Short mmCIF file of all heavy atoms in Angstrom, two decimals:
data_model
loop_
_atom_site.label_atom_id
_atom_site.label_comp_id
_atom_site.label_asym_id
_atom_site.label_seq_id
_atom_site.Cartn_x
_atom_site.Cartn_y
_atom_site.Cartn_z
N THR A 495 -32.95 225.73 -37.31
CA THR A 495 -34.12 225.24 -38.04
C THR A 495 -34.26 225.94 -39.39
O THR A 495 -34.49 225.30 -40.41
CB THR A 495 -35.40 225.44 -37.20
OG1 THR A 495 -35.24 224.76 -35.97
CG2 THR A 495 -36.62 224.92 -37.91
N PHE A 496 -34.09 227.26 -39.39
CA PHE A 496 -34.18 228.02 -40.63
C PHE A 496 -33.10 227.58 -41.62
O PHE A 496 -33.38 227.35 -42.80
CB PHE A 496 -34.05 229.52 -40.34
CG PHE A 496 -34.08 230.37 -41.58
CD1 PHE A 496 -35.26 230.57 -42.27
CD2 PHE A 496 -32.92 230.95 -42.05
CE1 PHE A 496 -35.29 231.34 -43.43
CE2 PHE A 496 -32.94 231.72 -43.20
CZ PHE A 496 -34.12 231.91 -43.89
N TYR A 497 -31.88 227.43 -41.14
CA TYR A 497 -30.78 227.03 -42.01
C TYR A 497 -31.01 225.62 -42.56
O TYR A 497 -30.84 225.36 -43.75
CB TYR A 497 -29.45 227.11 -41.26
CG TYR A 497 -28.26 226.77 -42.10
CD1 TYR A 497 -27.86 227.62 -43.13
CD2 TYR A 497 -27.53 225.61 -41.87
CE1 TYR A 497 -26.76 227.32 -43.92
CE2 TYR A 497 -26.42 225.31 -42.66
CZ TYR A 497 -26.05 226.16 -43.67
OH TYR A 497 -24.96 225.86 -44.44
N GLY A 498 -31.44 224.70 -41.71
CA GLY A 498 -31.71 223.33 -42.15
C GLY A 498 -32.83 223.28 -43.18
O GLY A 498 -32.73 222.57 -44.19
N THR A 499 -33.88 224.03 -42.96
CA THR A 499 -34.99 224.10 -43.90
C THR A 499 -34.53 224.70 -45.22
O THR A 499 -34.87 224.21 -46.30
CB THR A 499 -36.16 224.92 -43.32
OG1 THR A 499 -36.57 224.31 -42.10
CG2 THR A 499 -37.33 224.99 -44.28
N HIS A 500 -33.73 225.75 -45.13
CA HIS A 500 -33.20 226.39 -46.34
C HIS A 500 -32.37 225.39 -47.16
O HIS A 500 -32.55 225.29 -48.38
CB HIS A 500 -32.35 227.60 -45.98
CG HIS A 500 -31.57 228.14 -47.12
ND1 HIS A 500 -32.16 228.86 -48.15
CD2 HIS A 500 -30.25 228.04 -47.44
CE1 HIS A 500 -31.23 229.18 -49.03
NE2 HIS A 500 -30.07 228.70 -48.62
N LEU A 501 -31.50 224.65 -46.51
CA LEU A 501 -30.68 223.67 -47.23
C LEU A 501 -31.54 222.58 -47.86
O LEU A 501 -31.29 222.18 -49.00
CB LEU A 501 -29.66 223.03 -46.28
CG LEU A 501 -28.52 223.92 -45.83
CD1 LEU A 501 -27.60 223.14 -44.87
CD2 LEU A 501 -27.71 224.43 -47.01
N GLU A 502 -32.55 222.13 -47.15
CA GLU A 502 -33.42 221.08 -47.67
C GLU A 502 -34.21 221.57 -48.89
O GLU A 502 -34.27 220.89 -49.92
CB GLU A 502 -34.37 220.61 -46.57
CG GLU A 502 -35.17 219.39 -46.94
CD GLU A 502 -35.99 218.88 -45.78
OE1 GLU A 502 -35.48 218.84 -44.65
OE2 GLU A 502 -37.16 218.53 -46.02
N VAL A 503 -34.78 222.75 -48.78
CA VAL A 503 -35.57 223.30 -49.89
C VAL A 503 -34.68 223.61 -51.09
O VAL A 503 -35.02 223.30 -52.23
CB VAL A 503 -36.36 224.55 -49.43
CG1 VAL A 503 -36.97 225.29 -50.60
CG2 VAL A 503 -37.44 224.14 -48.43
N ALA A 504 -33.53 224.21 -50.83
CA ALA A 504 -32.61 224.54 -51.93
C ALA A 504 -32.13 223.27 -52.63
O ALA A 504 -32.05 223.22 -53.86
CB ALA A 504 -31.42 225.34 -51.40
N GLY A 505 -31.86 222.24 -51.86
CA GLY A 505 -31.44 220.97 -52.45
C GLY A 505 -32.54 220.34 -53.29
O GLY A 505 -32.29 219.81 -54.37
N GLN A 506 -33.78 220.42 -52.81
CA GLN A 506 -34.91 219.87 -53.56
C GLN A 506 -35.12 220.65 -54.86
O GLN A 506 -35.42 220.07 -55.90
CB GLN A 506 -36.18 219.87 -52.71
CG GLN A 506 -37.34 219.13 -53.32
CD GLN A 506 -37.08 217.64 -53.48
OE1 GLN A 506 -36.29 217.05 -52.75
NE2 GLN A 506 -37.72 217.02 -54.45
N MET A 507 -34.96 221.97 -54.79
CA MET A 507 -35.12 222.79 -55.99
C MET A 507 -34.03 222.47 -57.02
O MET A 507 -34.32 222.39 -58.22
CB MET A 507 -35.10 224.28 -55.62
CG MET A 507 -36.34 224.71 -54.86
SD MET A 507 -36.26 226.38 -54.20
CE MET A 507 -36.31 227.34 -55.69
N GLU A 508 -32.80 222.26 -56.56
CA GLU A 508 -31.71 221.88 -57.48
C GLU A 508 -32.00 220.53 -58.11
O GLU A 508 -31.79 220.33 -59.31
CB GLU A 508 -30.38 221.84 -56.74
CG GLU A 508 -29.82 223.20 -56.40
CD GLU A 508 -28.55 223.11 -55.58
OE1 GLU A 508 -27.84 222.08 -55.67
OE2 GLU A 508 -28.27 224.07 -54.85
N TYR A 509 -32.48 219.58 -57.31
CA TYR A 509 -32.83 218.25 -57.81
C TYR A 509 -33.92 218.36 -58.88
O TYR A 509 -33.81 217.76 -59.95
CB TYR A 509 -33.29 217.37 -56.65
CG TYR A 509 -34.00 216.10 -57.06
CD1 TYR A 509 -33.30 215.03 -57.60
CD2 TYR A 509 -35.38 215.97 -56.89
CE1 TYR A 509 -33.95 213.87 -57.98
CE2 TYR A 509 -36.04 214.82 -57.27
CZ TYR A 509 -35.33 213.76 -57.81
OH TYR A 509 -35.98 212.62 -58.18
N ALA A 510 -34.96 219.13 -58.59
CA ALA A 510 -36.07 219.27 -59.54
C ALA A 510 -35.60 219.90 -60.84
O ALA A 510 -35.96 219.45 -61.93
CB ALA A 510 -37.20 220.11 -58.92
N LYS A 511 -34.80 220.93 -60.74
CA LYS A 511 -34.31 221.62 -61.94
C LYS A 511 -33.42 220.67 -62.75
O LYS A 511 -33.53 220.61 -63.98
CB LYS A 511 -33.54 222.87 -61.55
CG LYS A 511 -33.33 223.82 -62.71
CD LYS A 511 -32.86 225.17 -62.25
CE LYS A 511 -33.89 226.00 -61.57
NZ LYS A 511 -34.98 226.50 -62.32
N TYR A 544 -40.92 216.87 -59.83
CA TYR A 544 -39.74 216.56 -59.02
C TYR A 544 -39.62 217.43 -57.78
O TYR A 544 -38.94 217.04 -56.83
CB TYR A 544 -38.48 216.59 -59.88
CG TYR A 544 -38.45 215.40 -60.82
CD1 TYR A 544 -38.66 215.56 -62.18
CD2 TYR A 544 -38.28 214.12 -60.33
CE1 TYR A 544 -38.67 214.46 -63.02
CE2 TYR A 544 -38.29 213.02 -61.16
CZ TYR A 544 -38.48 213.19 -62.51
OH TYR A 544 -38.50 212.10 -63.33
N LEU A 545 -40.29 218.57 -57.74
CA LEU A 545 -40.37 219.33 -56.48
C LEU A 545 -41.21 218.56 -55.47
O LEU A 545 -40.93 218.59 -54.27
CB LEU A 545 -40.98 220.71 -56.72
CG LEU A 545 -40.03 221.80 -57.18
CD1 LEU A 545 -40.80 223.06 -57.55
CD2 LEU A 545 -38.98 222.10 -56.13
N THR A 548 -40.09 214.40 -52.84
CA THR A 548 -39.09 214.76 -51.84
C THR A 548 -38.16 213.62 -51.46
O THR A 548 -37.03 213.87 -51.04
CB THR A 548 -39.76 215.32 -50.57
OG1 THR A 548 -40.70 214.36 -50.08
CG2 THR A 548 -40.47 216.63 -50.87
N ARG A 550 -37.11 211.48 -53.65
CA ARG A 550 -36.34 211.32 -54.88
C ARG A 550 -36.33 209.90 -55.43
O ARG A 550 -35.32 209.42 -55.95
CB ARG A 550 -34.92 211.84 -54.67
CG ARG A 550 -34.90 213.28 -54.23
CD ARG A 550 -33.54 213.81 -53.98
NE ARG A 550 -33.64 215.19 -53.52
CZ ARG A 550 -32.62 215.96 -53.32
NH1 ARG A 550 -31.40 215.52 -53.53
NH2 ARG A 550 -32.79 217.19 -52.90
N SER A 565 -48.44 223.25 -49.72
CA SER A 565 -47.51 224.36 -49.92
C SER A 565 -47.97 225.28 -51.04
O SER A 565 -47.58 226.44 -51.09
CB SER A 565 -46.10 223.84 -50.20
OG SER A 565 -46.03 223.25 -51.47
#
Side-chain angles (χ1 to χ4, degrees):
T495 302
F496 178 73
Y497 183 68
T499 302
H500 169 74
L501 289 179
E502 189 174 317
V503 169
Q506 189 64 27
M507 290 172 69
E508 286 176 26
Y509 166 73
K511 196 167 288 292
Y544 289 108
L545 276 172
T548 56
R550 303 178 182 186
S565 71

